[in-house]
Amino acid sequence: MRKKIINISLIFGLVSGLACFLFFIMLYMGNDNPLQQRRPDVGINILFIFLAVFLYKRRQGGYLHFYEGFSIGFLTNLIAALTTGTLIYGFVKWIDPAPFQNWIRDGKQFLIDQKEALSNVLNEESFKLQMQAFDNAKPYQIILDDLMFKQFAIIAIMLIAMALRRQSPQS
């Protein structure tokens, strides 16, 4: 059973990661800062998580434990985020660094524009540290950013696993 969970998560995670990367490429074609606009791709992950859990349940005769659904969802999301982040990293590292540079520029501009609004959260020292962090940013941080952001999908993973669970009578 563990092998089935890993296999289905790997397949759907890779396909989801590729779909998210294609979404990034579509944004790249029409936008100078596709890294800032790509947040809706978490919906792509959630769709593939649902499909993975649904297919697994179907192959198990209609039965699914919560831990199976959650494991599939978590692994699918993790693999998809790693795949997406790695592909985008490769793109900005070897094909066109402009999206990464624009992402840094816009992030710094956002901090400058919102300095007053963030003054209760960000003191002058913290502001300088944030600006310095942008100056020292490296393209590999795209992978970490994707991993961190897509953890919001855990809420959807739990809901999907709970909605689709159905235990066999002997369990």
Side-chain angles (χ1 to χ4, degrees):
M1 181 178 346
R2 193 176 302 174
K3 188 176 181 181
K4 289 179 186 179
I5 289 173
I6 292 171
N7 285 341
I8 202 159
S9 298
L10 186 61
I11 291 166
F12 279 87
L14 290 171
V15 172
S16 178
L18 186 59
C20 289
F21 178 68
L22 293 175
F23 179 72
F24 167 80
I25 295 297
M26 286 182 355
L27 289 174
Y28 171 77
M29 298 290 191
N31 191 333
D32 72 329
N33 190 354
L35 291 173
Q36 184 179 11
Q37 306 290 319
R38 69 186 167 88
R39 292 305 182 201
D41 71 353
V42 76
I44 296 170
N45 275 20
I46 292 170
L47 173 67
F48 280 96
I49 289 165
F50 176 80
L51 292 173
V53 174
F54 182 79
L55 182 64
Y56 179 84
K57 178 182 176 180
R58 196 169 183 198
R59 289 183 177 174
Q60 297 301 320
Y63 297 107
L64 176 79
H65 292 276
F66 175 78
Y67 74 89
E68 293 169 321
F70 188 81
S71 297
I72 291 166
F74 183 79
L75 286 173
T76 301
N77 188 50
L78 183 67
I79 292 165
L82 281 171
T83 302
T84 304
T86 303
L87 289 171
I88 293 172
Y89 164 76
F91 184 86
V92 301
K93 181 79 174 165
W94 294 299
I95 296 174
D96 185 5
F100 182 72
Q101 293 162 351
N102 293 341
W103 188 45
I104 298 299
R105 180 199 67 216
D106 291 351
K108 287 172 71 173
Q109 190 60 47
F110 174 80
L111 271 181
I112 292 167
D113 293 345
Q114 298 297 319
K115 186 176 181 181
E116 288 298 318
L118 297 171
S119 63
N120 59 343
V121 179
L122 228 54
N123 61 25
E124 192 61 36
E125 184 180 336
S126 296
F127 178 79
K128 288 179 183 176
L129 286 172
Q130 287 294 327
M131 292 298 280
Q132 186 179 13
F134 276 116
D135 290 335
N136 297 331
K138 304 288 184 222
Y140 74 84
Q141 289 172 306
I142 292 170
I143 300 170
L144 302 174
D145 180 64
D146 216 51
L147 278 171
M148 293 301 292
F149 178 76
K150 290 198 176 154
Q151 294 313 307
F152 286 115
I154 287 179
I155 297 165
I157 293 167
M158 288 190 305
L159 293 173
I160 290 168
M162 286 174 32
L164 293 179
R165 74 183 165 96
R166 180 173 165 223
Q167 297 178 1
S168 62
Q170 62 266 33
S171 293

